[in-house]
């Protein structure tokens, strides 16, 4: 196998969220237990963007249409995004994160937050560099590092053993930084676990980043969806050297604007410059017309936003109630975002077989934990941004199947 | 300077089309000659997408809005694009290119053709590989190769010395392939020169690719905009081994749908698989709602398309008439697309200084030839997909400035 074959061999996407339809069918159904369970199919691999689940921000489509009518200047923005819009978004994000942002120099609009992640990592790490990533964390982080030819240095996060913090292995983080890591990439709130890093954890990350000269990329995609009583600490407003941090945000989750593919990164000007250079060759720019939709961002009716968060919290609580009836299942209550990441009791089949049975027999699509950490062989991730009733029924079916497949 | 600093040093974008506003102002105006010329500013760095120039395909916005109303399934497609849409587009492209396409296996929808180019090159070349690219050709090709850590092997194309072919250096191409090139990337029609590769040139490329086992990526972005009497040869319908070719298309030029950011690549299933793996980490998918706009593609009213091409041809002819009044200027008549790439007479200032003077003194933005070939120090590229009258007047001002700055 030559070099490029090996590279792509590692980039498997068979179990990536949203790609389930590309899996080949069950070659042997011998392992399936019992009959199919009727009910509305629910795809927990991503949030549902529909009127009976969660719709895009009111006014988003209208802004898009106005953008189309503006024509050329909206279609062909600077590669980093339209100048006026960047100023507007910079002001909003400065207020949100608690530290100034220059729209001219410190912000780039990207095609989705995935685009922003790629650009940020590509701007800070190259072949042979060491990059620290958390386990578990967003499924593509590992692949990004591998594609660039860099080396993954994993840092553990044991969210199930903690309640007052995310559970980051602080000694492990320092050991990683000491070993020569150049970039540390993590999501906060954590995807898949829905936990928030405590103020002490963020302070520690900042302190270590400064001490060891590590650039930190923090994916804050879910940082607006905070449930009652939660405190969120923005890394960029901590003691971290402003030259060493890139913050990634986007309107695709809380705001359900994913279909427009928009992401935003803010950070040190020299890193944003590099990200733009890279964007030039990877995708040129975020969709011109879609950029107009960012005019609705952080300008939503506060009641609409509160209501949206409250609805997610209610779904979370109802799903947890059902999950907690399963003996041997462990689930920490998510503090933010729309993910549940329960650890299942011991099963008599492999995790991937169970996930496939769940889809085939119960119409329930979930993402296996192994997408987020090679150790998470007994976890599944569910995005509960769904129709409330359908989600509860789907979890009831899931529980039935867990009982069927127990070891 | 460390490794990543060097990498980004090479990825300069200061003179890239559309990025002119980011250039710092003139530090010394001492070299400027004469007064400012009044007139409607024209930005020839890209086509103008406006009602008084060229609007998006009729019905495009309506398809987008319907896509938004379809909700989740349109927002979250497979990473390679929605399945039904891929079948539809595959059928159209099979008919257009003269060879079958499997929508399930041989097609991917990307965020713009830039995205498709990056994925195609990333799927076929890695660090240390040799990649042949044409000079002159699309400005990002060289940067793509460099970002991947691969090596550029240039192949000359002397379009000004030929009329019956693009002017590819066929011996140079074979020498490049012999030297161990793994991938050959070229645009046809050529961007920036607007010339079409002859049937003999395409046959030669196919023959050499087969003989030396080279994968060929052909960027056919402008292949629908063919002017009267022109013949176009699709590489994928030639004798080339189907496993060794990726064809890139998109609706952003002839159809003026650039603001939606859509590209399409068709090719061997194993290469499309890799491209999807790479898309997963670079941008996840083409904008979900925008994908719906592809439903209008190759389904336009034939009269609308003919009229659009005729209008471009008329602008081309009028601009050439003005340019041909300049002593010492050489311009080959474009056979397709919307680019002019004239060679200017000797000037008394550098090309970049002239380009800047043109923008500052005449409100005319063009792209310096050096973006397309390091040798093209006396060429400028103009995208003439503009308002007809404004474009002619802008070229008249350009001619005045050429006279002012002659050496």
């Amino acid at each position: 196998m030559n070099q490029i074959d090996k590279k792509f061999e590692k980039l498997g996407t068979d179990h990536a969220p949203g790609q389930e339809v590309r899996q080949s069918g069950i070659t042997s159904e011998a392992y399936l237990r019992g009959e199919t369970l009727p009910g509305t199919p629910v795809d927990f691999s991503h949030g549902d963007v529909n009127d009976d689940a969660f719709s895009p921000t009111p006014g988003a489509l209208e802004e898009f249409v106005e953008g189309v009518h503006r024509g050329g200047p909206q279609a062909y923005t600077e590669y980093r995004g339209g100048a006026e819009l960047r100023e507007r978004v910079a002001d909003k994000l400065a207020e949100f994160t608690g530290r100034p942002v220059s729209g001219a120099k410190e912000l780039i609009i990207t095609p989705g937050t995935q685009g922003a992640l790629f650009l940020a990592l590509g701007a800070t790490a190259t072949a042979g560099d060491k990059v620290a990533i958390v386990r578990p964390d967003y499924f593509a982080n590992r692949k990004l590092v591998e594609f660039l030819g860099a080396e993954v240095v994993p840092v553990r996060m044991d969210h199930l053993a903690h309640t007052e913090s995310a559970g980051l292995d602080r000694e492990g983080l320092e050991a990683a930084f000491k070993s020569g890591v150049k970039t540390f990439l993590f999501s906060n709130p954590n995807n898949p676990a829905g936990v928030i890093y405590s103020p002490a954890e963020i302070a520690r990350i900042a302190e270590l980043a400064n001490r060891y000269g590590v650039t930190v990329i923090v994916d804050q995609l879910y940082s607006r969806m905070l449930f009652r009583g939660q405190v969120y600490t923005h890394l960029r407003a901590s003691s971290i050297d402003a030259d060493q941090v890139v913050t990634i945000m986007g309107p695709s989750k809380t705001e359900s604007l994913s279909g427009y593919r928009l992401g935003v990164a803010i950070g040190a000007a020299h890193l944003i410059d590099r990200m733009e250079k890279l964007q030039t060759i990877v995708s040129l720019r975020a969709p011109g017309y879609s950029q107009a939709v960012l005019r609705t961002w952080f300008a939503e009716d506060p009641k609409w936003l509160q209501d949206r968060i409250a609805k997610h919290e209610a779904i979370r609580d109802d799903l947890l109630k059902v999950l907690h009836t399963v003996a041997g299942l462990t689930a920490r209550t998510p503090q933010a975002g729309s993910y549940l990441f329960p650890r299942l009791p011991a099963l008599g089949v492999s995790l991937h077989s169970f996930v496939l049975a769940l889809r085939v027999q119960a119409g329930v699509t979930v993402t296996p934990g192994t997408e987020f950490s090679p150790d998470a062989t007994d976890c599944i991730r569910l995005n509960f941004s769904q129709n409330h009733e359908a989600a509860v029924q789907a979890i009831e079916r899931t529980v039935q199947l867990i009982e069927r497949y127990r070891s």
Side-chain angles (χ1 to χ4, degrees), chain A:
Chain A
M1 200 183 278
N2 66 24
Q3 201 191 345
I4 197 161
D5 290 337
K6 280 184 207 154
K7 185 167 166 176
F8 280 91
E9 184 72 13
K10 284 198 281 187
L11 287 180
T13 54
D14 284 358
H15 299 280
Q19 290 297 87
E20 296 78 8
V21 296
R22 296 204 72 80
Q23 291 172 25
S24 41
I26 307 175
T27 46
S28 161
E29 300 190 0
Y31 80 89
L32 291 182
R33 303 179 185 175
E35 297 302 306
T36 295
L37 300 178
T40 308
V42 173
D43 184 350
F44 286 113
S45 73
H46 57 73
D48 191 6
V49 182
N50 275 311
D51 291 346
D52 58 357
F54 293 97
S55 304
T57 310
L61 180 55
E62 289 73 11
E63 287 288 356
F64 183 94
V65 173
E66 276 189 44
V68 172
H69 293 315
R70 275 193 290 275
Q74 187 72 53
Y76 288 92
T77 67
E78 282 173 63
Y79 299 153
R80 62 175 66 194
E84 183 215 332
L85 181 65
R86 278 186 284 114
E87 291 298 343
R88 186 185 172 103
V89 172
D91 289 347
K92 302 285 188 183
L93 290 181
E95 195 187 331
F96 178 65
T97 63
R99 189 182 183 120
V101 180
S102 158
K105 297 183 174 179
E106 299 176 334
L107 186 148
I108 183 170
I109 301 173
T110 62
T113 46
Q114 183 68 49
L117 278 172
F118 178 78
L119 300 181
L121 202 61
T124 56
T126 187
D129 289 342
K130 288 183 178 179
V131 177
I133 61 175
V134 171
R135 285 185 177 164
D137 210 322
Y138 179 56
F139 80 97
N141 290 0
R142 171 184 67 79
K143 297 175 189 181
L144 284 162
V145 179
E146 286 171 354
F147 174 72
L148 293 167
E151 184 192 335
V152 169
V153 180
V155 178
R156 288 188 57 82
M157 185 200 80
D158 190 358
H159 70 287
L160 288 175
H162 296 80
T163 52
E164 302 302 313
S165 70
L168 184 70
D169 177 354
R170 301 186 199 187
E171 286 68 37
L173 187 70
E174 177 153 17
F177 283 14
K178 257 190 190 160
S179 79
V181 155
K182 284 187 63 176
T183 305
F184 173 46
L185 165 61
F186 76 111
S187 59
N188 182 26
N190 176 269
N191 171 359
V195 296
I196 296 174
Y197 287 76
S198 67
E201 285 177 311
I202 293 297
R204 176 77 170 162
I205 291 168
E207 182 204 322
L208 291 176
N210 291 347
R211 188 180 315 161
Y212 294 99
V214 172
T215 300
V216 184
I217 303 167
V218 52
D219 170 1
Q220 302 197 171
L221 189 50
Y222 281 94
S223 57
R224 296 188 82 189
M225 178 80 85
L226 298 187
F227 299 131
R228 272 175 301 180
Q230 300 300 335
V231 173
Y232 186 87
T233 313
H234 289 275
L235 178 67
R236 68 184 301 275
S238 74
S239 65
I240 195 167
D241 181 340
D243 266 0
Q244 284 175 214
V245 60
V246 176
T247 303
I248 290 168
M249 284 284 292
S252 55
K253 301 299 180 182
T254 310
E255 307 82 356
S256 301
L257 294 171
S258 177
Y260 294 96
R261 294 307 296 145
L262 288 164
V264 172
I266 52 178
H270 75 283
L271 294 176
I272 299 294
D273 282 349
R274 284 185 179 178
M275 290 173 70
E276 182 177 45
K277 285 185 174 186
L278 197 43
Q279 177 141 294
T280 306
I281 61 170
V282 169
S283 59
L284 224 47
R285 62 172 75 78
Y289 302 146
S290 286
Q291 289 181 34
V293 171
L294 281 177
R295 298 174 64 85
T296 63
W297 204 32
F298 286 92
E300 307 88 355
D301 180 339
K303 278 189 192 153
W304 174 86
L305 190 67
Q306 283 162 20
D307 176 67
R308 171 145 295 202
I309 295 170
K311 279 182 173 146
H312 279 88
E313 192 168 332
I315 299 172
R316 175 197 72 171
D317 292 344
D318 282 352
L319 299 193
L320 279 169
K321 241 180 260 170
V322 180
L323 286 172
H324 284 321
T325 64
V326 178
L329 181 147
T330 322
R332 180 167 160 188
T333 303
Q335 300 167 280
S338 62
Y339 293 119
L340 273 165
F341 195 57
R343 176 176 291 167
L344 307 182
L347 301 176
V349 297
S350 74
L351 180 67
H352 286 174
S353 294
F354 176 72
V355 164
L356 189 54
L358 192 57
R359 184 153 60 87
V360 172
Q361 294 192 291
V364 177
T365 303
V366 303
T367 308
T370 46
E371 285 291 305
F372 311 98
S373 168
D375 309 329
T377 53
D378 47 5
C379 297
I380 55 174
R381 190 195 72 170
L382 305 109
N383 186 325
F384 59 81
S385 189
Q386 307 287 344
N387 175 278
H388 193 139
E389 198 181 322
V392 170
Q393 290 167 0
I395 290 297
E396 286 167 348
R397 297 199 298 281
T398 303
V399 166
Q400 286 186 58
L401 283 203
I402 292 172
E403 297 304 338
R404 272 193 205 170
Y405 286 91
R406 263 184 197 283
S407 66

